[in-house]
Amino acid sequence: MKIAVYCASSTKIHEDFFTAARQLGEGLARRGIGLINGAGHMGLMGASSDACLAAGGEVTGVIPTFMVEQSWHHTGLTELIETRDMHERKQTIARLSDGCIALPGGCGTLEELMEVITWKQLGLYLKPIVILNTRGYYDPLLAQLQRGIDEHFMGERHAEIWRVAYTPEESIDLVLSTPLWDASVRKFAAI
C-alpha cells in the first residue's frame, strides 16, 4: 500500500507543521505503508520523506525533469520517477496511490488537493482523501467547501469526498478506514 502525501516545500513555516510531517512519515513506515510525494528535498516534503526513511519505510518521489535540473529533488528516496511535466506528475502520484493525505501547503498543495477532490467528485479517483488540519490551517478552505454545498454548487453527498484529521495518526487511521468511493457517483456530479 502507498499513500500520496501532498505538502509544502517551504522552510519558513511553524515548527508544528514540521512535527506533523515527521510524525506522518514515521507513522506510515511503522504501519508498513509506502509514502509517495513530489520528491522535493525541502520543507514538509523533505521532513516527511526523511522520517519515513529513517523509520525503515519506503518513499517514492515523482518529479518533473525541469525540477531535477534545478536540483530540487531528494536524492535519497527509495524510488525517483521523473515526469515530463506537472500534469503527468499529478496523474502518476494519483495512479500509484491507494489514497492521499494533504498536509498544509501553498498553491501547489492546494491545487493538488482540489484537483483530486474534483476527480473524486467525477468518479475518476475513488480512493480516500484526508485533509490533515494542523493548527487549523485548512479551516478557511473547509468553510469555503461547506459554503459551496450550502449554496448548492455541490451536493450534500459531496461532503463525503474528503475526511478531516487533526493528528497524523488520525489521518492514517482515516485513510485506511474510509471506503472506496462508488464510481456510480458520476450521475451525482451535476446537481
Side-chain angles (χ1 to χ4, degrees):
M1 172 173 263
K2 293 182 180 183
I3 299 300
V5 177
Y6 301 132
C7 55
S9 59
S10 176
T11 59
K12 299 180 180 191
I13 54 179
H14 196 281
E15 182 58 32
D16 289 351
F17 298 121
F18 283 104
T19 299
R22 287 189 289 270
Q23 289 174 350
L24 180 61
E26 183 181 326
L28 290 170
R30 255 195 345 265
R31 295 192 194 201
I33 301 168
L35 186 158
I36 304 173
N37 66 19
H41 66 85
M42 299 188 319
L44 302 186
M45 256 191 280
S48 59
S49 293
D50 289 342
C52 186
L53 292 165
E58 294 186 355
V59 180
T60 300
V62 184
I63 190 166
T65 299
F66 82 89
M67 289 184 173
V68 173
E69 291 168 351
Q70 296 298 312
S71 298
W72 293 348
H73 63 295
H74 194 301
T75 59
L77 302 180
T78 310
E79 180 181 16
L80 184 70
I81 299 170
E82 282 190 48
T83 62
R84 288 185 307 273
D85 53 37
M86 295 293 283
H87 298 293
E88 184 183 0
R89 176 198 214 184
K90 291 182 293 180
Q91 290 169 336
T92 302
I93 290 172
R95 180 176 43 80
L96 294 176
S97 74
D98 296 295
C100 66
I101 298 172
L103 277 71
C107 293
T109 303
L110 291 170
E111 190 265 342
E112 288 170 323
L113 174 59
M114 293 310 299
E115 184 165 53
V116 79
I117 285 173
T118 302
W119 289 352
K120 191 165 179 178
Q121 181 178 346
L122 296 171
L124 302 174
Y125 184 86
L126 305 177
K127 303 160 193 174
I129 298 170
V130 177
I131 298 170
L132 180 50
N133 196 19
T134 306
R135 293 177 53 91
Y137 181 82
Y138 280 112
D139 287 349
L141 176 63
L142 294 168
Q144 182 61 52
L145 289 169
Q146 185 58 52
R147 181 159 185 200
I149 292 167
D150 294 344
E151 297 284 353
H152 307 288
F153 288 100
M154 296 186 293
E156 290 289 334
R157 180 179 178 128
H158 295 141
E160 299 171 23
I161 289 173
W162 60 87
R163 299 285 188 262
V164 180
Y166 296 91
T167 67
E169 279 300 312
E170 183 186 11
S171 71
I172 298 169
D173 290 341
L174 284 173
V175 84
L176 293 176
S177 64
T178 300
L180 292 179
W181 195 241
D182 184 349
S184 70
V185 298
R186 287 186 180 134
K187 59 186 160 193
F188 301 110
I191 61 168

